[in-house]
Structure formats: structure tokens, C-alpha cells
Amino acid sequence: MRSSLLGALLPLVPLSAAAPAEPVKVPRHATVVTRQTLLSNYTFIIAGGGIAGLTLADRLTEDPSVTVLVIEAGPLDAGQDGILVPGAYAPWYYFWPGLNTVPQTGLNNRTISAITAQVVGGGSTINAMVYLRGDADDYNAWGALGNSGWSWANMLPYFKKAETFTPPSAALAAAGNISWDDSVRGHSGPVQFSYPNYFYPGSANWWNAANEVGLPPVNDPQSGSKQGVFWIPSALDASTMTRNHARRNHYDRVKDSRPNYHLLTSNVVGKVLFNGKNASGVCYLSTTSTSTACSSNVYATKEVILAAGGFGTPKILQLSGIGRKKLLQKFGIPLVTDLPGVGQNLQDQPTLSVPYTFTNNVVPNYGSLLTNATYNAEQHARYDAGQSSAYTLVSSLSSNIGVLSLQKATSSYRQIIKAAALRDPALSLPADVDETVLAGYTAQRTAILKQFANNDVGVGTVHWSTADSALVYHLKPLSRGTVTINSTNPLENPLIDFRTGTDPADVAVYTALFRKNRALFAAPSMQALGPTEAAPFGAQLTTDEQIYAVMRDQINPSNAHQCCTAAMMPLELGGVVSSEQKVYNVRRLRVADISAWPFQLSGAPMATVYAAAERLADLIKKEYCLAGAC
Ligand SMILES: Cc1cc2nc3c(=O)[nH]c(=O)nc-3n(C[C@H](O)[C@H](O)[C@H](O)COP(=O)(O)OP(=O)(O)OC[C@H]3O[C@@H](n4cnc5c(N)ncnc54)[C@H](O)[C@@H]3O)c2cc1C
Ligand SMILES: *[C@@H]1O[C@H](CO)[C@@H](O)[C@H](O)[C@H]1NC(C)=O
Ligand SMILES: *[C@@H]1O[C@H](CO)[C@@H](O)[C@H](O)[C@H]1NC(C)=O
Ligand SMILES: *[C@@H]1O[C@H](CO)[C@@H](O)[C@H](O)[C@H]1NC(C)=O
Ligand SMILES: *[C@@H]1O[C@H](CO)[C@@H](O)[C@H](O)[C@H]1NC(C)=O
Ligand SMILES: *[C@@H]1O[C@H](CO)[C@@H](O)[C@H](O)[C@H]1NC(C)=O
Ligand SMILES: *[C@@H]1O[C@H](CO)[C@@H](O)[C@H](O)[C@H]1NC(C)=O
């Protein structure tokens, strides 16, 4: 494969030739190219060069007295069209290999391949570019779980700091119903975001049908509430109409001026090294190593920061001796601290594709790209010429999307909330769960049930590609899963159990979302296209039981939004990190990535991962008086 070949050739990418004088060379894995230099110690070592990792590395190296090493399991992307051109979207180049769930008991025991990135930039390099904040209550509720300093009001400046919004043309905004509130959008940050410059005519039918079933136009989905329909903000650089990923905005953008920013690619952090309870560095090995143990150490003079994503971070913690005592004992891993919350609380945002056929669909639609070679060639040529083009839309997505509260999804919302409130939370977790983790889940459940009653918080998303399928996303699951090491080999994948659909409230909410999508297709503006809900669904499925019986076989437990496996909550609530994202009971170790979230947002993760890393960078700068922070 082209991509992995390039990765093998570029294992270490120092930022310039101006490496510090007389660097100490430490042994590296034999397959590593030897022209580069690694220092024996860095001020900060970051495990994982995804969204959170690169954002922090950029911000911390603003101080020239600081040195940062990012160790990333994947290579630099090769700039393929499949990465950079939205309409050529091909994320599979950089999927983490061999990752599967264990059989999902709530989903007919299906085993599903679990998707996460293994590439510099992490998810931002291969994701669907949806750049969407959560709702205000999400951050407020995280704060109310005992995380001081977390609220929508505190996050808003960081959302803005993170990004630069480029508006669409006035003509497109008017024709396409694009609206926004400039006061909540950033204008000078590194992440470029904008909108595609094209829409399929059928997306107007969908928009109007959504309006007809109570999903009105939203002025700005980034303003803390988004009940209705809106254009999807996209992590798209409007100057080139290409993906703006963390590799671009937090590495390429600054690399020429940052000799203190080092990136070691295609290497895996195996574990954190400790000096007593102080994190002192990491050991690492080549991602393609045939050895099963770390061979090389590198040291951090201030902190080790974990940013390896929702699967990677709990795995590193467990391998390092931070996790549930029972588990670590089973593998003979010396205990650094017993934190039973590590690897618990796994959540994602399940997805469901609902197929449709049409007697009267409008063309062109997304399907035209696949079936009409003339249209495809024409749109490709227009894209290459910098004109409006379907290639500015992420392949398989259309331009607009809808988010809905539980009240908007179903008039039965009170019954759903009541039944969920009566359920013993312990029934929703694995039988042998630690009592602190149960206490934390109980607190989360209360917070999420409040959100179910709040008409400003989304619980689901609906979308239509304009071709043969609709998508229904479940944003706020109550089911909780686990990530657990299965050996001490850092190159072996952990056991992933989403436990999707094991909580009956999730079944009720998701079925309600399915029905709302069905209602949208039954509204006059969609009926004009002659849609028929197709197999394995169909109009013959009328009861909730019949519908969910098919859903159980169709739901994908993941939208690659895996989170919350090293949750920020008080220790007595099974938390792993404090509100400053410091791992409890040890020093000099933080978690920067999506693992630290308590629970899923009413949105997509990317925008919040960027903003939360901006926030954390400021906290760290203040703590150590870096870059003039004090
Ligand atoms: C295919 C796909 C589509 C998605 N679509 C969207 C979307 O449209 N909108 C949206 O908001 N979100 C989307 N997401 C999710 C979003 O990209 C992630 O939630 C986000 O990237 C998480 O950021 P992070 O920094 O926590 O982790 P990541 O960005 O995943 O970064 C973690 C990095 O750590 C590396 N790593 C893991 N373990 C180790 C180790 N032991 N040593 C060294 N490195 C390690 C990984 O290779 C990875 O690069 C999508 C994700 C995928 C994969
Ligand atoms: C870090 O490395 C430098 C050489 O690059 C060395 O002079 C210094 O003593 C090291 N510091 C620690 C704490 O190991
Ligand atoms: C799933 O597997 C479990 C445990 O092996 C079993 O008890 C259950 O009956 C299975 N469910 C289905 C639907 O096959
Ligand atoms: C925009 O909104 C108007 C008014 O509701 C509607 O007539 C039109 O079809 C919509 N167009 C799109 C592209 O959503
Ligand atoms: C750990 O760090 C603290 C200060 O952060 C220091 O007082 C202590 O001596 C260190 N312990 C070890 C074993 O290095
Ligand atoms: C295919 O696309 C071309 C160019 O846009 C268009 O003229 C033609 O009508 C399309 N054919 C069909 C069958 O839709
Ligand atoms: C977990 O480890 C056991 C014992 O080594 C092995 O048999 C099993 O295949 C592993 N499971 C996965 C999913 O890797």
C-alpha cells in the first residue's frame, strides 16, 4: 500500500535541521531510518498525534524553552485525494488494523469491526469532516458532575480560539438556506472550516420535509442549541476546498518555525514510565515490530500527556499499571495505582442506515456520482478548476442535517424518561463493576435523563444522502461498554465491548428516532419524490418490537466516536482524571483526548476535541509559566 510504504520511509520527522546542539541519541528500533535525532528527554511527551495531541504540541511549543515529542502510531498521510478531496473520501487508508468488537450481546451477538485512526492527525485525517459543537447543556452537565471550570461559557472562547470560519458566498447562502451567527464563530484560529459550495436539489425536499415535521431551520448550530435542520459545518479549507486536518493546522502550519516540536511517527507508546508515583517518560516501539516488549525509553522533564484516543489511552494506562487492580494482577502488571474507572464508561454514537428506493427522485443526486460517469467527470473537472462542485461534499453525505431533542422525536418522551428513571443503574453495567464506577454512572444517568427532558439538547441526528439511504444517529446512549487489554503486548489490540443497546432506554430512544425519520419521509416534500422504505426495513414493520428486531441486526455500535474511557469525574465517582485532566493518585500525567469526556455530546466530537485541547494547553502554560502565561 502506498500509504504504509511512505510511513515506513518517514518514521521520524524533526521540524528542522536546527536540532539542539549535541543531541543524545538513544537506541531506536532497528527498522527506523537513522538520519533523524531524538533527544534523551523532552519537556513534554505526548502519546498519540491525533487531534488533541497535535493541538497541544503546537500550543506548548509556542514557548521556545519547551521541547515536545509526539509519538504517533501511524504515518504521515500521503496527501491522497481520498484524504484531501471531500468527494473522493477514502478513510480506510488509515484505519487502525485488526480492531474488532467482542460479540455484542445487545446486537444479536454480532462482531463488528471497530474503526479508529492510525495516522498523524488521528481522526481529523480520515473523518467525515463534520465540524459541530455540542449543546450548551453538555458542557454545563460535565461541569455539574464535579468538574470545576467546565461550562459552555468557559468553552466558547476556546471554540473560537481554535478556528477560522470562512463564510459561503452570499448567493449560495441565500439559495441553500445557510445561516450563521458570526459572533459565536472564530475568525483567527488554526482550524479552517466552511461549507461545501454545492448542494443537490433533493436536499431542498429533505429540508422542507424536516420543517413539515417540526424540525425548523436553525440559525447557527454552533451557538449551543441546534433543534432543527442546518447545513453541516465542514473542516474544509475554503481557499483550496480540501480537508483541513490537525496535521495541516497544528503541525505543517508551524513546523518551519518550531525546532522544539518533534514527531516520531509509526511508533507506539507501550507504557508510561514512573519514578515512584511521578510519570517520568514513556517506552515505545515500532508499530511494525515483531517484538512484544518496549525496547526504548524517552524521558519527560515536566509531563507525559496521553492523547491516544478512546481506545488507545485506556490501553496505555492499563499497560502502565493504572487501572483496576484485578485486571492488572491477572496480567502480572505491577500496580502503580488502582483506578477502577480506566477502560470503563466506553460510549460511541451508534449509527443506522435506512435504505430507500424512489419512483421520482430528482437528479443529480449523490447517486449520480456513482452511476453517471459523465456527471462524475464534469464535477471532477469543475472541482479541479475551483468551481462549485459536488466534490466539495464529503462522499456519501449531502449538505444538510437535522438534530432533535427527545421531545421532538416522540410524544412518548415522558414515559421513556420515567421508565429509565425507575431502572436500577447497576443493571446497565457489567455485573462485577466497581462501586465508584457505578456511582459515577448513576450520576451521569441522572444528568442525561435531565437532558432527555430538555428541549435544547439533541438526542439524535437524521440525514439523507439524497440517494438510496437515510442515516439515523443515536447521540446520547445510556449503555456503557469497556476497553480492556487482553495481554501485556503493546501491539495487541484491546478487547472492545460497546455493549450497545443493552439499556432498554436506548432501545426506546433509538426506535423513536427511527420513527421520526420515517415521518420525515412521509411528509409532503419527501413524498413528492416517491420514496419507499426498503428491505430489511419496510412499511410492514409497524410495532416498536418489529422495528427494533430489524434494527438490532442493523445498528452499527460505532460512528468512530469512541470516548469517555478515562473519564473526568471525581475519584469517588470512578473518575480517572481531575477537571485539569490530571490522572488521579500520580503526578505529571494527564489525559488530553476524548477519553477524558464524561459522556457523549449532542454533536460530533472533533470541534470539542480541538477546543478542549486549547483549554488544556492554557492550563498547562499557566501551571508552568510558559509562553508568557504568568
Ligand atoms: C472514519 C471516521 C469518521 C469520523 N467522522 C467524524 C466527523 O465527521 N466529525 C467528527 O466530529 N468526528 C468524526 N470522527 C471522530 C473524531 O475524528 C474523533 O472523535 C477524534 O479524532 C478524537 O480525537 P482524539 O485526539 O481524542 O483522538 P484521535 O484523533 O483518534 O487521535 C489518537 C491518535 O493516537 C494514536 N495512538 C493510539 N494509540 C497509540 C499509542 N499507543 N502510541 C502512539 N500513538 C497512539 C492513533 O494512531 C491516533 O492517531 C470520525 C472518526 C473516524 C475514524
Ligand atoms: C536532558 O537531556 C539533556 C541533553 O539533551 C541533558 O543535558 C539533561 O541533563 C537531561 N535532563 C534530564 C533531567 O535528564
Ligand atoms: C448471544 O450469546 C449469549 C452468550 O453466548 C447467549 O446467551 C445468547 O443467547 C446469544 N444471543 C443470540 C441472540 O444469539
Ligand atoms: C430553503 O428554504 C426555502 C423556504 O423555506 C425553501 O422554499 C427552499 O426549498 C429551501 N432550499 C433548500 C436548498 O433547502
Ligand atoms: C516526584 O515529584 C515531586 C514534585 O512534583 C517531588 O517532590 C518528588 O520528590 C518526586 N518523587 C520522585 C520519586 O522522584
Ligand atoms: C448524466 O450527467 C450528465 C451531465 O451532468 C447529464 O447531462 C445527464 O442527463 C445525466 N444522465 C442521467 C441519466 O441522469
Ligand atoms: C485474548 O487472549 C486470549 C488468550 O491469549 C486469546 O485466545 C484470544 O484470541 C484473545 N482475544 C482477542 C480478541 O484477541
Side-chain angles (χ1 to χ4, degrees), residues 174-432:
N177 298 325
I178 314 178
S179 64
W180 66 94
D181 171 358
D182 221 41
S183 74
V184 301
R185 299 201 167 190
H187 302 287
S188 56
V191 181
Q192 300 297 320
F193 85 109
S194 189
Y195 293 101
N197 57 23
Y198 182 94
F199 63 92
Y200 297 110
S203 62
N205 293 70
W206 187 87
W207 176 275
N208 294 321
N211 295 175
E212 286 153 17
V213 297
L215 299 179
V218 172
N219 184 43
D220 193 325
Q222 312 291 51
S223 67
S225 175
K226 46 178 159 330
Q227 291 300 310
V229 287
F230 48 87
W231 271 54
I232 306 169
S234 180
L236 181 69
D237 182 337
S239 67
T240 54
M241 284 293 170
T242 54
R243 175 186 298 271
N244 191 256
H245 47 320
R247 181 246 168 110
R248 277 272 162 89
N249 54 46
H250 285 297
Y251 178 71
D252 288 348
R253 187 181 63 86
V254 297
K255 66 178 179 179
D256 292 342
S257 61
R258 302 279 174 84
N260 53 340
Y261 182 161
H262 285 199
L263 176 60
L264 178 66
T265 62
S266 301
N267 275 268
V268 164
V269 169
K271 64 179 176 189
V272 179
L273 305 170
F274 284 91
N275 199 340
K277 300 280 182 196
N278 296 352
S280 60
V282 301
C283 76
Y284 64 95
L285 72 171
S286 164
T287 306
T288 55
S289 172
T290 50
S291 159
T292 58
C294 290
S295 48
S296 307
N297 294 341
V298 55
Y299 296 95
T301 56
K302 287 200 173 14
E303 291 194 13
V304 173
I305 300 170
L306 303 183
F311 297 144
T313 288
K315 177 178 148 185
I316 295 172
L317 286 168
Q318 290 167 353
L319 290 172
S320 306
I322 300 179
R324 197 173 190 188
K325 195 173 169 184
K326 264 205 299 206
L327 173 76
L328 305 182
Q329 279 172 344
K330 179 176 156 195
F331 292 108
I333 298 171
L335 186 73
V336 174
T337 183
D338 181 7
L339 283 186
V342 174
Q344 302 292 309
N345 202 41
L346 173 64
Q347 298 155 57
D348 207 303
Q349 295 183 316
T351 66
L352 177 73
S353 176
V354 185
Y356 280 89
T357 58
F358 295 86
T359 54
N360 197 27
N361 199 3
V362 276
V363 285
N365 57 50
Y366 168 62
S368 309
L369 279 181
L370 309 175
T371 58
N372 183 339
T374 313
Y375 174 75
N376 191 325
E378 167 196 294
Q379 293 303 312
H380 206 289
R382 291 185 59 85
Y383 181 86
D384 290 343
Q387 297 166 327
S388 65
S389 164
Y391 270 87
T392 64
L393 290 157
V394 172
S395 175
S396 87
L397 295 181
S398 66
S399 51
N400 49 26
I401 200 163
V403 169
L404 56 162
S405 65
L406 191 56
Q407 296 183 42
K408 282 198 182 287
T410 174
S411 59
S412 308
Y413 73 96
R414 284 194 195 84
Q415 289 94 303
I416 294 176
I417 296 167
K418 196 171 166 196
L422 287 172
R423 180 176 162 89
D424 176 0
L427 296 176
S428 294
L429 297 180
D432 66 340

